Amino acid sequence: MCIQRKVFVTRRVPQPGIELLEGAGCKVEFWDSDEAIPREELIRGISGAHALFCMLTDTIDGEVLDAAGPNLQVVGTMSVGYEHIDLEACRARDVRVCNTPNVSTDSVAELTVALLLLTARRLLEGVQAVKDGQWGKWKPMWLCGMELPQKTVGILGLGRIGFGVARRLKPFGVKKIVYHDVCRVGYADDIGASFVEFDKLLTESDVICICCNLTPQTKHRFNKSAFKKMKKHAILVNSGRGGVIKHDDLLEALTSGEIAAAGLDVTEPEPLPADHPLVHQPNCIVLPHMGSNTWDSRNSMSETTANNILSVFNDQTAIGLVQ
Ligand code: DGY
């Protein structure tokens, strides 16, 4: 049981997590807004905290950890991604780091498939054409896209989400699923996915879904040279992290016809300004990072973050222990 340990929450979050923390006797303080906490407020709010309950929009570095002081035991992020947390700085101060694996797998995998279909079948262009009064008599070659049967799907990052995407795409009758990751994974056999080198993923795939984290190895992996290797009719979907794609190079690939279309749920930066050329590129769909936007996922993410924090307080192994 935690006796009046202070937990600082950097945003309004779904109630289940807050109820768990309060039920366990924690003193929960939070930044009372739906918007990201300004850095000076974060530094003020974390002072004396035993735990930080944060979001992927908060940069957690040595300065923030020092502002907490010696009580701080754990940084729990309400996200799968933890690239916003300086792991080294946490390790140096003996602060645990936890994330929320598992609970958003279905929502993100589902959205990835939705975005792929939206992009491949040019659905938003269709909606816009109707709104603009451009829907005339049926035409044999108007707004034609790509269907999935007999296509090769490439997945970069066959973790939980990548696997979830592959599993959902299989019933569409795809010919082959290939993946690239830091290593081969045994469960790939369950969906008949084969490991390929990155270049082969690029050259063989009709559709590529980026489902990996942002790491020094994946940063800007999709750049000019990668786009040149892809098929001209290929569709690229990114629900991992924006930084995996070099956006200037993507824009060039989309305008020059090096690839057919892209669907992005994540971008670099976020938010992508409304006047960014990719937002207005007809063969590109940009969503505002909404992969895990379901109440099921968000309630579970809040609950998991709280449980992670309580596990650290109670010297138990947290489900989402990163380090
Ligand atoms: C995560 O959890 O890291 C997602 O990107 C936010 O839903």
Side-chain angles (χ1 to χ4, degrees), residues 158-160 163 181 185-193:
L158 200 72
R160 293 183 185 87
F163 182 83
D181 209 322
V185 291
Y187 53 80
D189 295 343
D190 298 352
I191 39 152

Side-chain angles (χ1 to χ4, degrees), residues 56 78-84 100 104 108 161 213 239-241 265-266 289-293 298 301:
L56 47 81
M78 195 181 120
S79 61
V80 179
Y82 48 85
E83 66 280 350
H84 53 293
T100 58
S104 55
V108 180
I161 293 171
N213 291 333
S239 60
R241 282 293 182 262
D265 183 44
V266 286
H289 197 152
M290 51 194 301
S292 66
N293 293 32
R298 291 292 165 82
M301 287 164 81

Side-chain angles (χ1 to χ4, degrees), residues 12-288:
R12 285 186 203 133
V13 296
Q15 249 338 83
I18 303 298
E19 281 166 11
L20 268 176
L21 291 167
E22 287 178 342
C26 300
K27 182 174 168 228
V28 180
E29 291 180 12
F30 57 94
W31 172 247
D32 192 10
S33 167
D34 293 322
E35 302 302 326
I37 186 169
R39 189 160 169 93
E40 60 280 11
E41 294 297 338
L42 170 60
I43 284 176
R44 198 190 340 258
I46 197 175
S47 170
H50 297 79
L52 178 68
F53 183 134
C54 67
M55 313 291 123
L56 47 81
T57 44
D58 307 321
T59 301
I60 310 303
D61 54 16
E63 187 192 13
V64 172
L65 301 172
D66 287 341
N71 288 344
L72 191 67
Q73 288 176 256
V74 52
V75 171
T77 183
M78 195 181 120
S79 61
V80 179
Y82 48 85
E83 66 280 350
H84 53 293
I85 303 172
D86 183 339
L87 296 184
E88 195 43 58
C90 288
R91 205 173 300 128
R93 291 160 181 81
D94 201 23
V95 170
R96 303 280 94 77
V97 176
C98 302
N99 70 345
T100 58
N102 289 330
V103 291
S104 55
T105 304
D106 288 326
S107 54
V108 180
E110 193 174 275
L111 177 122
T112 309
V113 173
L115 182 53
L116 167 56
L117 294 174
L118 207 61
T119 310
R121 297 304 304 273
R122 306 179 62 179
L123 299 183
L124 290 192
E125 288 172 80
V127 170
Q128 196 56 48
V130 175
K131 286 185 179 164
D132 293 346
Q134 283 167 9
W135 183 15
K137 293 270 186 218
W138 187 89
K139 290 183 203 146
M141 291 193 288
W142 190 51
L143 290 182
C144 291
M146 183 208 283
E147 62 190 36
L148 290 171
Q150 294 312 315
K151 300 298 188 298
T152 296
V153 173
I155 312 260
L156 180 65
L158 200 72
R160 293 183 185 87
I161 293 171
F163 182 83
V165 171
R167 184 169 62 78
R168 283 168 173 79
L169 289 179
K170 224 176 146 58
F172 281 86
V174 300
K175 181 172 75 182
K176 208 159 139 193
I177 300 175
V178 293
Y179 75 97
H180 182 74
D181 209 322
V182 284
C183 60
R184 290 165 200 263
V185 291
Y187 53 80
D189 295 343
D190 298 352
I191 39 152
S194 0
F195 178 90
V196 289
E197 291 307 332
F198 183 61
D199 270 8
K200 198 151 182 207
L201 187 93
L202 297 174
T203 54
E204 280 207 351
S205 305
D206 300 296
V207 163
I208 297 183
C209 297
I210 302 174
C211 301
C212 61
N213 291 333
L214 183 63
T215 64
Q217 290 73 38
T218 60
K219 173 105 180 153
H220 291 170
R221 196 109 203 238
F222 281 81
N223 52 27
K224 204 186 271 278
S225 116
F227 291 125
K228 282 203 187 318
K229 292 173 188 157
M230 288 174 67
K231 295 182 179 177
K232 292 225 178 312
H233 64 257
I235 311 275
L236 180 66
V237 172
N238 189 5
S239 60
R241 282 293 182 262
V244 178
I245 298 180
K246 203 164 180 213
H247 284 91
D248 291 347
D249 295 356
L250 172 63
L251 183 65
E252 202 180 305
L254 288 170
T255 46
S256 67
E258 223 145 41
I259 67 168
L264 312 174
D265 183 44
V266 286
T267 57
E268 184 187 62
E270 286 185 12
L272 199 64
D275 61 355
H276 191 284
L278 278 175
V279 174
H280 301 280
Q281 181 62 27
N283 53 350
C284 185
I285 293 176
V286 183
L287 297 180

